Amino acid sequence: MHKDIERVLYSEKVLEDIVNRLAKQIEKDYNNKEFLAVGLLKGSVVFMSDIIRRINLDFAIDFMVTSSYGGNTVSSGVVNIVKDISSPVEGKNILILEDIIDSGHTLSYVVDYLKNRGAAEVKICTMFDKPERRVIEIEPDYAGTVIPDEFIVGYGLDFDEKYRNLPFVGVLKPEVYNS
Ligand code: IMP
Ligand code: MG
């Protein structure tokens, strides 16, 4: 545990089982189909490094960095691409690996952007999905688990850039947000 965590929602073991299930689905669907796995940093770093090692296929990886959150828990709705994919996108089947879909702002922006750049197909694999919070209509093609409307940290997810390194996913004590 960690002093700022009120409650653990997903243990390491549960996260591992979810990742294995997603990897098997992807392996089945992308067998015989080339693809580029694109991680949205920084949140997807832990999920991505776990899942790519469970997908037993040949594929390239790349990264994008987007920003929309400041130091709080509500999306600004304005998405910026801070770092773009470094390989060509045209004609590629892209599988975006994301930590969480909340309002949907980030992913809808990134999907449109990649399609405009000529991607043949853009699919989304998210570890966590918070459909109750959706502002923009967008559905992941693969979702590890649906979570209630709670702000979670750990397994790549941060609050104010902290807690990304926690191996489990939990909810913070209320006093942490208020300090
Ligand atoms: P969206 O654009 O509102 O869908 O937000 C996507 C981004 O917001 C994610 O990639 C996360 O960085 C961040 N985010 C949304 N919900 C949470 C949460 O519960 N904990 C930590 N970060 C979150
Ligand atoms: Mg974040």
Side-chain angles (χ1 to χ4, degrees):
M1 269 290 266
H2 183 287
K3 65 174 175 37
D4 295 347
I5 297 291
E6 180 170 84
R7 167 165 65 87
V8 173
L9 291 182
Y10 298 94
S11 67
E12 273 188 83
K13 172 73 178 100
V14 170
L15 293 170
E16 192 185 312
D17 290 347
I18 294 171
V19 169
N20 285 338
R21 196 199 76 229
L22 287 173
K24 285 288 149 295
Q25 275 176 268
I26 290 166
E27 224 173 82
K28 192 165 130 260
D29 295 352
Y30 285 85
N31 182 29
N32 294 321
K33 178 163 136 186
E34 275 188 30
F35 71 104
L36 173 67
V38 174
L40 299 194
L41 296 176
K42 301 172 227 177
S44 72
V45 66
V46 181
F47 171 51
M48 182 166 185
S49 66
D50 277 351
I51 196 165
I52 61 172
R53 288 178 293 168
R54 296 283 166 272
I55 303 171
N56 202 2
L57 297 171
D58 293 328
F59 59 97
I61 65 168
D62 211 321
F63 302 97
M64 284 176 86
V65 180
T66 61
S67 69
S68 81
Y69 273 59
N72 64 47
T73 61
V74 186
S75 174
S76 65
V78 181
V79 180
N80 295 303
I81 293 178
V82 178
K83 184 229 169 281
D84 204 343
I85 297 181
S86 49
S87 46
V89 166
E90 218 175 311
K92 294 268 170 70
N93 299 317
I94 295 183
L95 178 63
I96 299 174
L97 299 174
E98 173 65 313
D99 52 355
I100 189 166
I101 313 183
D102 188 46
S103 69
H105 278 123
T106 307
L107 273 174
S108 74
Y109 184 87
V110 170
V111 168
D112 285 351
Y113 176 78
L114 292 172
K115 285 185 174 162
N116 285 335
R117 278 190 58 189
E121 178 188 271
V122 183
K123 297 222 171 190
I124 299 165
C125 173
T126 188
M127 182 65 182
F128 300 101
D129 187 11
K130 245 194 242 180
E132 277 175 52
R133 297 252 312 167
R134 210 73 96 243
V135 173
I136 296 187
E137 213 175 296
I138 185 159
E139 284 297 319
D141 299 280
Y142 306 91
T145 180
V146 169
I147 61 163
D149 182 8
E150 274 191 290
F151 196 83
I152 58 171
V153 295
Y155 201 66
L157 292 151
D158 73 304
F159 172 65
D160 214 4
E161 294 301 327
K162 287 195 297 246
Y163 315 109
R164 293 192 196 275
N165 60 316
L166 298 180
F168 54 84
V169 165
V171 179
L172 288 171
K173 293 176 181 165
E175 61 260 36
V176 181
Y177 301 112
N178 302 329
S179 67

